[in-house]
Amino acid sequence: MYPLPTTNLGHTESPGLPFGEREDGEPAHHEPELQGLRLEAPAVGEGTGDELDLDSCAPPPWLRRRSGAHGGRGGWNSGIDAIFRGIKRTFNMKISSLCVQYIRKGGTERDCDALYSLTPRLLSLHRTLRHFICPGAASLVLLSTTLPAVAAPAITQAAPFTAADGARPQGSLTAGAGGLFYGTTTQGGPSNRGSVFTFNSNTNQISASAFFTLADGTIPLGSLTAGAGGLFYGTTEQGGPSNSGSVFTFNSLTNQISASAFFTGVNGSLPRGSLTAGAGGLFYGTTAGGGSANLGSVFTFDSNTNQISTAASFTVVANGVFPQGSLTAGANGLFYGTTPQGGSSGFGSVFTFNSITNQISTAASFTGANGANPKGSLTAGANGLFYGTTETGSGLAGAGSVFTFDSLTNQISAAAFFTAADGANPQGNLTAGDGGLFYGTNVNGGSSGNGTVFTFNSINNQISSPVSLTGTTGAFPFGSLTAGASGLFYGTAQRGGSGNLNRGTVFTFDSGQSVPGVPGPLPILGAGIAFGASRKLRKRIKLAKT
């Protein structure tokens, strides 16, 4: 082990080469921020304020410059200086401190992790450095940099709905080209049957593109699904000849809605989710009613022929009934979905639909202890896991849960339950972010009772950083968040908005995870090493290791 100095030794002149001295013996002309690099000497994870000059500490052997012609003891390998100059320049940031901490050989990963204080986006770089240095004897970390600050998560009202736009959006936004997002409202328009609208994220403006009529269908609850040639596909819960709903097409080039096909009850009724794209122009969806037992169905819509076909019906309450969410594509022709009712305990189920055999199978049932009454869809994760939310459950006050479904073992596990502070009763899906994070919305709860946006960490199974909607920013977000650029997510709220319009809003959620202008960790490390490993320095590094 290497001893850890604990006193402030101040600056000590050394007859050896200063840190980073030129080979010709002339003093190195350090940039100001790299002069007098300091070592803090606290216990791991805790600062004591004791500081000493870097050149006063004995480095481990493999980071040591060999004593030579200049005499004196061996100091820090000047190649390390050059490498971190390269990293500094690649970041275009100011390194104000280079802290080298000694820990015992065999120190735990937790001890090493406690040293890393840069932003989450750089964590993988730190781990790369840790595995390079920590296992031997020491751990190295860059501190006190001037990287852009990571903001706390925040919600901002992007635009309120007006009478001209429609009202009461319930689905999520669908990303288009050029910063445009497309969505639907359940009310508004000349017939008060809803609209398709566009939201321009560059100007924060909502524009009604088209309004629904009874002939098209009415009350679109789900989101739009992008097709080819500027077409989007969606469903309405009601309308049509049987008032059982429709599949419609929206042409974003002409701003026209066309009813493509109608539900009759036999082929399903009351579709509430979105369509999921398959192969060959097929789309898959669910209905909350209709089918052979009037317990709901899985249907296909062929965009080539504009025909709806019942693929399979829910027939046994014990297997789950009345699906409201969308289907999520898996492997080998399988799709996964949820039902809010039925199942072995009556709290809903996760089911699979085999698009090759057109068969529905109950994969697992909710028990209440692992959540109850899922309204949204599943979000695919890694290693066969899917993530979702339940509206209620046996957590505190029955506010709902985040759950995982393992498609390899067909098991549901409650990952986390919502508390009053987190918000309550999620209806939408989880949206994947970076680093194992997922983002979602709660319809109720929060500081104003208008709902929240929350973060779920799939690594430690914790719900955190809930941000409340205020009424002005919106209220009662039923839909899911849609990822945009630079760490922003976009969502809709069914009520609220500025000016007491209370027709709903489009809002933005800044996750606080974006660090603009910082490249990925491997390019940074590689560029730094490439900068430092000049022919002149390679010779010195070689000497230092001999």
Side-chain angles (χ1 to χ4, degrees):
M1 63 174 287
Y2 299 93
L4 176 65
T6 57
T7 58
N8 189 343
L9 303 180
H11 178 69
T12 303
E13 297 293 338
S14 168
L17 281 174
F19 190 67
E21 184 199 23
R22 290 162 39 183
E23 267 198 325
D24 57 10
E26 293 296 321
H29 296 286
H30 291 292
E31 298 178 22
E33 66 269 23
L34 290 176
Q35 292 184 17
L37 296 178
R38 291 189 174 275
L39 242 176
E40 293 183 355
V44 173
E46 295 185 46
T48 65
D50 293 332
E51 296 182 348
L52 62 157
D53 198 85
L54 182 64
D55 222 22
S56 301
C57 289
W62 58 281
L63 289 180
R64 187 177 301 160
R65 172 179 47 75
R66 190 183 68 173
S67 300
H70 294 277
R73 59 175 175 77
W76 285 93
N77 187 324
S78 58
I80 301 300
D81 179 23
I83 287 173
F84 283 97
R85 279 179 186 274
I87 293 177
K88 181 198 77 71
R89 292 184 180 181
T90 306
F91 270 129
N92 191 25
M93 69 182 184
K94 177 179 177 181
I95 298 178
S96 59
S97 176
L98 175 61
C99 177
V100 178
Q101 299 227 3
Y102 299 119
I103 63 171
R104 292 180 181 273
K105 194 170 184 178
T108 67
E109 293 281 305
R110 183 176 180 182
D111 292 332
C112 290
D113 285 335
L115 300 175
Y116 303 126
S117 60
L118 286 182
T119 62
R121 185 60 64 87
L122 302 178
L123 183 58
S124 58
L125 171 61
H126 299 166
R127 287 177 176 167
T128 301
L129 294 173
R130 179 189 68 204
H131 289 301
F132 179 61
I133 297 174
C134 254
S139 184
L140 183 149
V141 61
L142 304 177
L143 297 176
S144 305
T145 66
T146 56
L147 283 173
V150 178
I155 295 173
T156 304
Q157 177 193 269
F161 285 89
T162 67
D165 306 321
R168 308 286 189 266
Q170 190 150 325
S172 309
L173 296 170
T174 301
L180 293 181
F181 292 81
Y182 297 87
T184 61
T185 67
T186 60
Q187 298 179 26
S191 303
N192 198 33
R193 300 185 186 279
S195 70
V196 172
F197 68 88
T198 59
F199 169 70
N200 189 325
S201 62
N202 302 306
T203 61
N204 283 347
Q205 289 184 331
I206 296 172
S207 302
S209 298
F211 293 102
F212 288 92
T213 66
L214 185 60
D216 303 320
T218 181
I219 312 180
L221 297 178
S223 309
L224 297 171
T225 302
L231 296 181
F232 291 82
Y233 298 89
T235 62
T236 66
E237 185 190 40
Q238 299 176 29
S242 302
N243 199 32
S244 297
S246 70
V247 172
F248 67 88
T249 304
F250 169 69
N251 189 324
S252 63
L253 305 178
T254 62
N255 284 344
Q256 289 183 331
I257 295 172
S258 302
S260 298
F262 295 103
F263 292 93
T264 62
V266 175
N267 60 5
S269 67
L270 308 178
R272 293 173 179 170
S274 309
L275 296 170
T276 301
L282 285 182
F283 292 82
Y284 297 84
T286 65
T287 66
S292 61
N294 202 32
L295 298 174
S297 72
V298 172
F299 68 89
T300 60
F301 169 71
D302 191 331
S303 62
N304 302 302
T305 61
N306 283 344
Q307 289 186 334
I308 296 171
S309 301
T310 302
S313 294
F314 291 87
T315 58
V316 180
V317 173
N319 292 334
V321 291
F322 311 135
Q324 297 192 27
S326 309
L327 296 171
T328 302
N332 302 318
L334 292 181
F335 291 82
Y336 297 86
T338 64
T339 67
Q341 298 180 42
S344 59
S345 301
F347 294 115
S349 70
V350 172
F351 68 89
T352 61
F353 168 70
N354 189 321
S355 62
I356 299 172
T357 63
N358 283 345
Q359 288 184 331
I360 295 172
S361 302
T362 301
S365 294
F366 290 91
T367 62
N370 57 11
N373 313 123
K375 296 286 183 69
S377 310
L378 297 170
T379 300
N383 301 320
L385 288 181
F386 292 82
Y387 296 85
T389 62
T390 65
E391 185 181 31
T392 59
S394 62
L396 293 176
S401 73
V402 173
F403 69 88
T404 61
F405 169 70
D406 190 331
S407 62
L408 304 179
T409 62
N410 283 345
Q411 289 185 332
I412 297 171
S413 301
F417 288 100
F418 291 98
T419 67
D422 301 322
N425 313 126
Q427 307 278 316
N429 318 329
L430 294 171
T431 301
D434 294 331
L437 298 181
F438 292 81
Y439 302 94
T441 61
N442 277 310
V443 173
N444 299 311
S447 60
S448 303
N450 295 317
T452 66
V453 173
F454 66 88
T455 303
F456 170 71
N457 189 324
S458 63
I459 298 174
N460 58 23
N461 284 344
Q462 289 186 341
I463 296 169
S464 63
S465 304
V467 183
S468 296
L469 283 88
T470 62
T472 300
T473 54
F476 315 135
F478 278 86
S480 310
L481 298 172
T482 302
S486 301
L488 288 181
F489 293 81
Y490 296 86
T492 63
Q494 191 189 58
R495 300 290 182 101
S498 58
N500 296 318
L501 296 174
N502 204 31
R503 303 176 68 87
T505 68
V506 171
F507 65 86
T508 62
F509 170 69
D510 188 338
S511 63
Q513 296 299 312
S514 174
V515 184
V518 179
L522 291 181
I524 290 168
L525 183 61
I529 292 174
F531 178 83
S534 65
R535 178 184 298 179
K536 179 170 62 176
L537 288 173
R538 283 199 303 269
K539 181 180 178 181
R540 299 186 69 175
I541 294 171
K542 182 178 179 181
L543 289 174
K545 291 183 177 180
T546 59

